[in-house]
Structures are given as C-alpha cells and as structure tokens.
Amino acid sequence: MPTTPVTAANSSSNGAQEMIMLELVDENGNTIGTAEKLSAHQPPGRLHRAFSVFLFDEQGRLLIQRRALGKYHSPGVWSNTCCGHPYPGEAPFAAAARRTHEELGISPSLLAEAGTVRYNHPDPESGLVEQEYNHLFVGLAQSAPRPDPEEVGETAFVTPQELTERHRAAPFSAWFMTVLDAARPAVRELTGSAGGW
C-alpha cells in the first residue's frame, strides 16, 4: 500500500511494536483528542472513530472473516469483511482501503460510503468495550482473498441464508449485527433487491 504522511507517522521503520493511537470523537463525530488503542477499549470505553467494510462478490455473497486467535480483542469470532480504526488524521475511507489490503490482500472495487452508526457494545469474553462512531463502507471483492494469518483465521463468502445459519451456530463479534443492519440500505443498493440483503 502507498505510504502517506499519516501512515508513515504511525508505522515503525525498525519493526518495533509502537503504541497505536485512536481518534476520540464527540457524539457528532467531531475529533476531540486521541487515546492509546487498548486504553480506549477499557471499561467504560471512550468514544472513538472506527470503520467497517462489507465486500461482496459478483454473486452478491458477503465476504466475512474469522478473526485470528492471536488478536487481543474478540479472537476467533466471525465478523464483517474488515473493521478497524483510522489513525489520527487519516480519512476513514483511506483507512478502510488500507486495512482491507493489509488484512485480506485485496483492494476493494467501487468502495462507497454507507453512513455511520454509533454504538456501545461490551464484549463479555474480554471485558473490553466498543464505544464507537463507526463509518460504514460497501464495495466489491474482485480478487481472491490472501489473508494475513496474524489478522485473519479464515474467510468465507456467504449468502444471506448461509449467514443466518452461521450466526446461529458460531460466535460473531459483538458489533457485527449492528454494523450490518446500519449498512443494509447501501448493501441493497450495491447487490440489488434480488440479493436478499
């Protein structure tokens, strides 16, 4: 992925693990400061900017991922195509494209904004809290995923019916249904009414 001033300022040149900073926001999504990633997720949580991506194949199936077991937050659960946090000062659209490429090895096509949603979801397993002002994006996956195993344990393309069955049978992220429901109007616009979303 191309290096921008924002991504360069937030990456380490010697491979050392650096503190990841998030952008804190008010209830209207205005930036009010920054906080270290883990501290922002400690109870009761601090409202911060996030993004969620939903990519579909040409058959209208949604690409979902099972989060890698090594992730500190919600490991091993299924979730949407990609989600994460922009660096402070990074546009949510740019962050969504960047992380989708980093996690899944694909560059989304026709990536479009699909609104925002604000939520507060405690994760009973980890004790962490998702207090997020989330920017939603929908688009197409026109190449096969090449997941980074440190980020993604498994991927699958699913129809609405297959997603319903998986959701009953397997654990999903605490935020998954909230972000999917908020993105549905844009998803239907992308996939067409026959897609069933």
Side-chain angles (χ1 to χ4, degrees):
M1 288 297 284
T3 300
T4 68
V6 171
T7 57
N10 287 281
S11 61
S12 172
S13 58
N14 63 6
Q17 194 73 351
E18 291 195 2
M19 226 183 334
I20 298 173
M21 302 300 289
L22 307 185
E23 201 168 82
L24 300 178
V25 300
D26 64 17
E27 293 292 338
N28 297 312
N30 300 307
T31 303
I32 58 170
T34 60
E36 189 276 326
K37 183 178 178 180
L38 188 55
S39 72
H41 290 87
Q42 299 288 346
R46 299 179 73 187
L47 185 59
H48 58 273
R49 195 176 309 284
F51 64 82
S52 289
V53 178
F54 298 85
L55 298 185
F56 296 82
D57 67 8
E58 292 176 359
Q59 288 79 50
R61 298 178 302 169
L62 172 62
L63 175 59
I64 58 174
Q65 65 155 284
R66 187 172 59 79
R67 294 163 62 85
L69 291 174
K71 292 181 82 72
Y72 79 91
H73 190 354
S74 302
V77 302
W78 287 92
S79 199
N80 49 294
T81 307
C82 179
C83 51
H85 310 93
Y87 292 129
E90 183 182 24
F93 183 94
R98 173 180 58 78
R99 281 305 288 166
T100 302
H101 189 270
E102 289 171 356
E103 289 189 10
L104 294 160
I106 55 177
S107 296
S109 302
L110 302 177
L111 192 64
E113 294 183 16
T116 59
V117 62
R118 189 261 194 258
Y119 51 79
N120 175 4
H121 285 303
D123 177 34
E125 293 295 318
S126 67
L128 300 174
V129 178
E130 288 290 4
Q131 283 263 23
E132 294 190 329
Y133 187 93
N134 197 308
H135 297 256
L136 308 172
F137 299 92
V138 300
L140 299 177
Q142 295 186 306
S143 59
R146 300 183 315 280
D148 175 350
E150 293 196 6
E151 298 287 347
V152 179
E154 188 179 350
T155 63
F157 282 97
V158 294
T159 65
Q161 181 60 38
E162 289 166 342
L163 179 62
T164 299
E165 291 165 6
R166 276 182 187 259
H167 198 258
R168 281 197 206 107
F172 273 70
S173 64
W175 61 87
F176 175 75
M177 286 310 299
T178 300
V179 292
L180 176 59
D181 286 344
R184 280 187 198 273
V187 168
R188 291 183 185 120
E189 192 173 324
L190 178 73
T191 60
S193 56
W197 293 103

